[in-house]
Amino acid sequence: MSSKKVILVTGGSGLVGHGIKAAMEREGQRSDEEWHFVSSKDADLKNRASTEALFAKIKPTHVIHLAALVGGLFRNLKYNLDIFRINSRINDNVLSTAHKHNVEKVVSCLSTCIFPDKTTYPIDETMVHDGPPHDSSFGYSYSKRMIDVQNKGYHIQHGCTFTSVIASNVFGPYDNFNCENGHVLPGLIRRAFDSKADGTPFVIWGTGSPRRQFIYSLDLGRLFLWIMREYKEVEPIILAADEESEISIKEAADLVIEAVGFKGEVIQDTSKPDGPLKKTTSNAKLRKYLPHFVFTPIKEAIKDTCDWYGANPDIVRK
Ligand code: NAP
Ligand code: GDP
């Protein structure tokens, strides 16, 4: 009997999916693995029949589940209900279909914004359900928390190895560079390029003081490969760079300005909301498993992302 892993990556056309693909291509395709990166064009995972048809076609032994309606602070504030309903439906379809098809392992992607708003720092994996998340992203956060509830249920009731990772703020090539819908770094990168081209001031939204632990999509991709192959727990694991790497939005903006070579005026729009002031997480669990993992320095990763944005005007999502 063949022991080849057939790995289905839902949401494979997005930022994180491309990070995994790049990490996999960098290390070279393994003969015992067959990868399928799919998008909403292959199957609308909101739809049960479409999800079933995808699993029947690919016949995965392993699933990395990334597909979701994803957005930054501003999209979350506007569409909390839609995001909760859509993502809950996608997650239920994917997990229940994976169970029906006897998938050996599912790794879903949660996010550090799901943690309680009122908390002690650093936050760790045991604190996911300790209190309400920040109000700005309650829909997204509760739909993600329910994946952890389902993973526990599938394990206790059916013995499944369905697990999850909790990723901090991701950025990199193939991100969504739409300022209203996307996350902070792609928003800043787009505005820096536009301001440089138009000779207009570069605007930082909010006070610039919130702090974030950014992770480069390629680093997250390398970690996903390890999780998919080696991680045996059902309980989630935080995938974030070390606590000391946390920077303010203003510091992130300065790195973007330097990478893009913008020389004009920099202003702040403090009428825009800040979201959580910080969500500092501990990566001690990850470090126990992988003490020597080296994260790409943020300055280098931002420069690479800006270079990719500048070189790919035809495929940039904005
Ligand atoms: P993204 O770039 O917006 O990609 C989203 C992916 O989901 C795309 O491949 C999209 O397909 C697919 N998708 C959306 N709706 C779908 C549907 N109804 N049916 C099938 N596929 C659908 O998002 P991302 O940043 O890579 O996020 C991937 C995962 O990581 C998400 O679960 C997200 O919550 C999690 N995460 C992200 C961050 C972050 O900072 N970005 C942080 C922590 C966790 P199309 O290309 O066809 O639209
Ligand atoms: P979060 O980390 O999940 O809150 O989400 P974001 O990646 O959307 O980061 C939000 C933080 O960056 C807030 O403090 C915003 O005020 C600030 N920010 C500055 N410019 C932007 C931008 O262009 N887009 C977004 N989403 N946030 C921005």
Side-chain angles (χ1 to χ4, degrees):
M1 205 178 97
S2 162
S3 61
K4 196 173 205 168
K5 289 190 181 99
V6 178
I7 303 150
L8 169 65
V9 184
T10 74
S13 56
L15 164 68
V16 179
H18 274 283
I20 297 173
K21 200 185 258 182
M24 201 257 298
E25 283 165 358
R26 182 181 280 197
E27 72 165 31
Q29 172 92 47
R30 291 191 182 184
S31 58
D32 62 344
E33 293 177 355
E34 179 185 308
W35 289 79
H36 298 264
F37 291 84
V38 300
S39 75
S40 65
K41 292 187 187 70
D42 298 286
D44 178 1
L45 299 172
K46 295 194 296 303
N47 180 287
R48 176 79 198 186
S50 180
T51 309
E52 287 270 2
L54 179 73
F55 275 70
K57 182 176 161 204
I58 308 276
K59 298 188 175 44
T61 59
H62 292 66
V63 173
I64 294 180
H65 173 41
L66 308 175
L69 182 52
V70 179
L73 173 65
F74 300 94
R75 186 183 238 182
N76 275 305
L77 278 166
K78 220 164 156 184
Y79 298 112
N80 264 300
L81 174 66
D82 293 357
I83 290 173
F84 176 81
R85 295 189 64 216
I86 288 171
N87 289 345
S88 299
R89 207 178 325 153
I90 290 177
N91 298 336
D92 190 49
N93 282 339
V94 169
L95 294 181
S96 62
T97 309
H99 169 54
K100 187 175 164 192
H101 285 253
N102 297 316
V103 168
E104 284 171 36
K105 183 170 175 179
V106 179
V107 182
S108 298
C109 194
L110 318 187
S111 155
T112 50
C113 64
I114 74 171
F115 282 117
D117 181 34
K118 295 193 176 29
T119 184
T120 53
Y121 299 99
I123 308 169
D124 69 37
E125 293 85 352
T126 66
M127 297 155 81
V128 169
H129 303 285
D130 279 359
H134 194 271
D135 221 27
S136 56
S137 62
F138 70 89
Y140 177 79
S141 299
Y142 278 115
S143 70
K144 290 284 179 188
R145 285 186 186 189
M146 290 309 110
I147 291 183
D148 180 57
V149 171
Q150 293 212 43
N151 287 347
K152 186 175 172 179
Y154 276 109
H155 181 65
I156 292 173
Q157 214 170 310
H158 300 295
C160 299
T161 306
F162 291 179
T163 188
S164 63
V165 305
I166 307 176
S168 60
N169 286 61
V170 192
F171 71 98
Y174 300 94
D175 206 339
N176 176 4
F177 291 83
N178 179 300
C179 293
E180 296 297 333
N181 287 340
H183 289 280
V184 53
L185 267 175
L188 291 171
I189 290 171
R190 174 166 181 194
R191 288 203 296 283
F193 269 92
D194 288 353
S195 296
K196 189 179 172 188
D198 304 343
T200 51
F202 169 70
V203 188
I204 303 172
W205 292 358
T207 63
S209 52
R211 301 181 69 77
R212 296 289 184 264
Q213 249 166 314
F214 293 102
I215 182 168
Y216 188 37
S217 55
L218 195 76
D219 293 343
L220 184 61
R222 288 160 58 214
L223 290 170
F224 254 107
L225 294 184
W226 169 75
I227 294 277
M228 204 277 301
R229 293 168 184 151
E230 309 293 344
Y231 187 67
K232 306 273 187 287
E233 298 184 34
V234 169
E235 286 74 31
I237 180 168
I238 290 171
L239 301 184
D242 304 321
E243 274 170 65
E244 310 76 63
S245 69
E246 186 178 62
I247 57 172
S248 69
I249 300 300
K250 172 72 174 66
E251 287 166 322
D254 288 341
L255 290 173
V256 170
I257 288 169
E258 190 186 335
V260 172
F262 174 74
K263 306 277 185 225
E265 187 187 0
V266 178
I267 54 177
Q268 280 179 233
D269 180 354
T270 52
S271 69
K272 301 262 192 211
D274 270 343
L277 287 183
K278 60 179 193 168
K279 32 189 185 175
T280 320
T281 49
S282 161
N283 69 359
K285 183 171 181 179
L286 173 66
R287 281 295 181 204
K288 230 182 211 171
Y289 280 108
L290 297 179
H292 305 301
F293 185 88
V294 179
F295 289 90
T296 310
I298 184 140
K299 188 173 172 175
E300 184 184 325
I302 287 181
K303 177 81 177 99
D304 284 353
T305 308
C306 292
D307 290 349
W308 179 88
Y309 179 94
N312 291 282
D314 297 342
I315 56 168
V316 163
R317 200 168 19 141
K318 55 186 190 181

